[in-house]
């Protein structure tokens, strides 16, 4: 599982149109043949290329509902983004209950983990002097590892709700006498980055989550069950603020900070991270970053338009704001800790040997001078410099700029 990626190419659907090439924030896509290629070392699974492809040739690989059969005891972990997918009259209680009809034995509401994580982040905010960056969006974490390694120290060292929910659900089931091998924990995800976070976590050795299903794949069944007259409902244990995490800005509200910046959409996130890197935003306490526009409701694996889902989840969350207080001391505090520190990912090196790297750097400069600097993507690389680098590294035999005269 060394370099697992959820975002994949369905080569049969790819026409080589290059629409995805310039959408990638980490320059991970090339189209040098007839088909796109994703460079695994650079991909963060943000899903931007998936949204950009007009032919649905990029996809987020998820597990299947048939995987329920592999476990004796099945626990669903629905991401709060799911509640924004349904009409106002479809209450979260009915949505949670519908998972029992779908074949699950138990439901652990991830919104409750959001509440717990919020309380833990509040503690970290009291201790910190520099701006803390939310560690909730796995695509943002991977982008920081790859492009902004100096900002790893700013990530708030608290496990994301996905993992906290998985660990709590597993711990509680084991306390009731179930064997770990019999328990299947299924995250219901709005995005491919969370699939990768469960299959190949960055801050822990192994995730508690066993399988990941997408919201889009189970939506139809859940809607059918939720609309049934006698559908079982489940009591809500989370607060409205926990559900509010599904949309950009909801996490900051739950954390209780007003001296914060909320940024969504991967291209905006890169701009804000660049500003922090050069020493700006030092007067801000918390920076909430989401790769998708609107936050998790804007993930590529959801059904509803993110702007409509945002309103739906906000209204539902506001209705529930009077729920009970969250008591952090009831849970084992180690579930919030990372197993490992988050390490940089080396993606932009010409060579490990410094002398060779300098020589390649000179050649790269010479090639670049002959390219127009339009960064149009027509050659199959996202920028002229990425194209020159591919040439220097031997990935391509010649440069093929459509604007080049010589
Ligand atoms: S998922 Fe994101 S990082 Fe990976 S290739 Fe697509 S756009 Fe690039
Ligand atoms: S956008 Fe990328 S993946 Fe989609 S058809 Fe065009 S080249 Fe292929």
């Amino acid at each position: 599982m060394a370099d697992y990626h959820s975002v994949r190419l369905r080569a049969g659907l790819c026409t080589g149109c290059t629409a995805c090439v310039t959408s990638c924030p980490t320059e991970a896509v090339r189209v040098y043949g007839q088909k796109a290629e994703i460079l695994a070392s650079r991909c963060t699974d943000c899903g931007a290329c998936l949204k950009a492809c007009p032919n649905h040739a990029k996809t987020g690989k998820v597990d299947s509902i048939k995987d329920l059969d592999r476990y004796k005891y099945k626990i669903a972990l629905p991401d709060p983004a799911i509640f924004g997918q349904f009409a106002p009259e479809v209450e979260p209680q009915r949505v949670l209950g519908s998972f029992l009809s779908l074949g699950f034995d138990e439901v652990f509401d991830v919104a409750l983990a959001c509440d717990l994580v919020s309380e833990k982040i509040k503690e970290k905010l009291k201790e910190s002097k520099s701006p803390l960056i939310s560690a909730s969006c796995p695509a943002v974490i991977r982008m920081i590892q790859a492009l902004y390694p100096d900002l790893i120290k700013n990530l708030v060292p608290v496990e994301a709700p996905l993992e906290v929910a998985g660990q709590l659900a597993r711990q509680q089931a084991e306390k009731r006498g179930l064997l770990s091998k019999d328990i299947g924990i299924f995250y219901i995800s709005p995005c491919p980055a969370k699939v990768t976070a469960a299959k190949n976590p960055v801050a822990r050795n192994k995730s508690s989550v066993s399988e990941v299903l997408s919201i889009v794949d189970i939506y139809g069944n859940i809607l059918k069950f939720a609309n049934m007259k006698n559908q079982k409902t489940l009591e809500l244990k989370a607060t409205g603020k926990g559900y509010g995490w599904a949309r950009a800005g909801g996490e900051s509200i739950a954390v209780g900070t007003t001296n914060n910046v909320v940024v969504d959409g991967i291209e905006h996130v890169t701009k804000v991270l660049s500003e922090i890197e050069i020493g700006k935003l030092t007067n801000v306490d918390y920076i909430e970053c989401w790769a998708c526009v609107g936050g998790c409701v804007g993930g590529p694996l959801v059904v509803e338009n993110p702007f409509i889902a945002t309103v739906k989840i906000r209204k539902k969350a506001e209705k529930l704001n009077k729920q009970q207080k969250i008591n952090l001391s009831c849970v084992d505090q180690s579930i919030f800790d990372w197993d490992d520190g988050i390490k940089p990912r080396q993606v932009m090196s010409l060579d490990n040997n410094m002398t060779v790297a300098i020589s390649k750097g000179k050649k790269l400069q010479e090639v670049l001078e002959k390219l127009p600097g339009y960064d149009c993507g027509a050659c199959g690389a996202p920028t002229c410099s990425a194209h020159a680098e591919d040439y220097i590294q031997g990935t391509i035999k010649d440069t093929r700029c459509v604007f080049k005269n010589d």
Side-chain angles (χ1 to χ4, degrees):
M1 205 65 75
D3 203 10
Y4 180 94
H5 288 282
S6 167
V7 171
R8 311 269 174 97
L9 177 76
R10 293 192 279 201
L13 296 178
C14 177
T15 59
C17 71
T18 75
C20 57
V21 170
T22 49
S23 70
C24 175
T26 55
E27 299 188 353
V29 186
R30 301 288 187 277
V31 187
Y32 286 140
Q34 299 301 308
K35 307 285 178 191
E37 186 192 350
I38 300 173
L39 310 182
S41 65
R42 296 186 181 205
C43 178
T44 62
D45 292 285
C46 69
C49 60
L50 205 146
K51 289 177 186 167
C53 178
N55 301 311
H56 307 289
K58 294 268 174 62
T59 183
K61 169 125 181 45
V62 286
D63 298 307
S64 156
I65 192 79
K66 289 186 188 135
D67 290 315
L68 261 74
D69 299 339
R70 296 175 47 211
Y71 301 91
K72 281 193 185 149
Y73 193 79
K74 286 86 77 171
I75 306 177
L77 258 54
D79 186 283
I82 199 167
F83 304 108
Q85 308 300 302
F86 302 98
E89 58 277 14
V90 182
E91 293 167 332
Q93 292 90 329
R94 290 185 82 78
V95 174
L96 292 179
S98 299
F99 280 93
L100 302 177
S101 306
L102 193 59
F104 287 95
D105 299 295
E106 185 184 327
V107 185
F108 188 101
D109 193 353
V110 177
L112 177 60
C114 293
D115 276 327
L116 293 165
V117 170
S118 305
E119 295 305 309
K120 200 69 192 172
I121 294 174
K122 280 181 194 172
E123 288 183 6
K124 300 289 178 194
L125 273 167
K126 280 184 204 146
E127 297 160 9
S128 170
K129 288 196 177 61
S130 54
L132 287 177
I133 301 172
S134 163
S136 309
C137 175
V140 171
I141 295 182
R142 282 171 199 268
M143 196 163 68
I144 288 175
Q145 284 182 291
L147 303 186
Y148 305 94
D150 289 348
L151 298 184
I152 289 176
K153 63 181 184 319
N154 293 69
L155 283 166
V156 65
V158 179
E159 258 305 354
L162 175 156
E163 197 54 53
V164 168
Q167 288 200 58
L168 280 175
R170 192 171 286 278
Q171 279 177 5
Q172 289 171 5
E174 284 177 10
K175 270 187 199 154
R176 295 196 305 272
L178 286 150
L179 297 177
S180 190
K181 69 174 174 60
D182 293 336
I183 305 167
I185 300 201
F186 288 69
Y187 199 82
I188 316 300
S189 180
C191 77
K194 289 189 178 183
V195 182
T196 303
K199 304 281 180 189
N200 185 18
V202 289
R204 55 189 330 104
N205 307 324
K206 192 175 183 302
S207 172
S208 296
V209 172
S210 337
E211 314 282 340
V212 187
L213 305 179
S214 72
I215 288 178
V216 68
D217 283 351
I218 55 133
Y219 173 79
N221 280 327
I222 295 293
L223 182 65
K224 182 181 80 189
F225 293 127
N227 282 328
M228 281 181 179
K229 247 196 184 153
N230 300 325
Q231 176 56 51
K232 245 192 195 169
T233 59
L234 288 176
E235 185 198 342
L236 301 185
K237 297 196 175 133
T239 73
K241 287 179 180 167
Y243 294 103
W245 269 63
R247 65 177 176 104
E251 179 183 340
S252 294
I253 292 171
V255 163
T257 173
T258 48
N259 185 23
N260 64 306
V261 170
V262 178
V263 52
D264 59 338
I266 199 75
E267 71 277 28
H268 300 129
V269 170
T270 53
K271 283 181 190 144
V272 168
L273 293 178
S274 299
E275 300 231 325
I276 307 169
E277 199 177 39
I278 57 168
K280 289 189 174 178
L281 301 178
T282 48
N283 56 346
V284 170
D285 293 334
Y286 199 62
I287 298 161
E288 188 188 324
C289 301
W290 299 104
C292 294
V293 171
C296 293
V297 288
L301 305 181
V302 301
V303 177
E304 184 57 284
N305 170 302
F307 301 101
I308 295 170
T310 293
V311 175
K312 286 179 176 174
I313 197 76
R314 180 171 56 75
K315 288 189 173 168
K316 285 180 182 178
E318 281 168 1
K319 253 183 160 176
L320 298 167
N321 261 346
K322 306 280 183 300
Q323 294 288 318
Q324 73 275 19
K325 264 191 134 351
I326 293 298
N327 187 355
L328 194 57
S329 61
C330 294
V331 295
D332 166 10
Q333 298 299 297
S334 68
I335 59 165
F336 298 108
D337 295 338
W338 293 337
D339 287 346
D340 302 317
I342 293 180
K343 296 176 188 66
R345 275 170 83 198
Q346 203 188 42
V347 294
M348 306 289 181
S349 153
L350 283 175
D351 204 282
N352 290 335
N353 179 310
M354 187 60 90
T355 316
V356 180
I358 290 170
S359 157
K360 281 185 175 177
K362 278 187 192 154
K363 279 189 204 150
L364 188 130
Q365 207 47 45
E366 285 164 21
V367 176
L368 252 182
E369 276 163 19
K370 291 184 187 150
L371 295 173
Y374 295 163
D375 294 344
C376 62
C379 63
T383 58
C384 295
S385 107
H387 190 58
E389 189 183 329
D390 289 346
Y391 175 68
I392 296 301
Q393 299 292 39
T395 313
I396 45 173
K397 298 264 177 298
D398 53 53
T399 58
R400 10 174 134 168
C401 176
V402 290
F403 300 105
K404 208 169 60 169
N405 291 324
D406 59 311

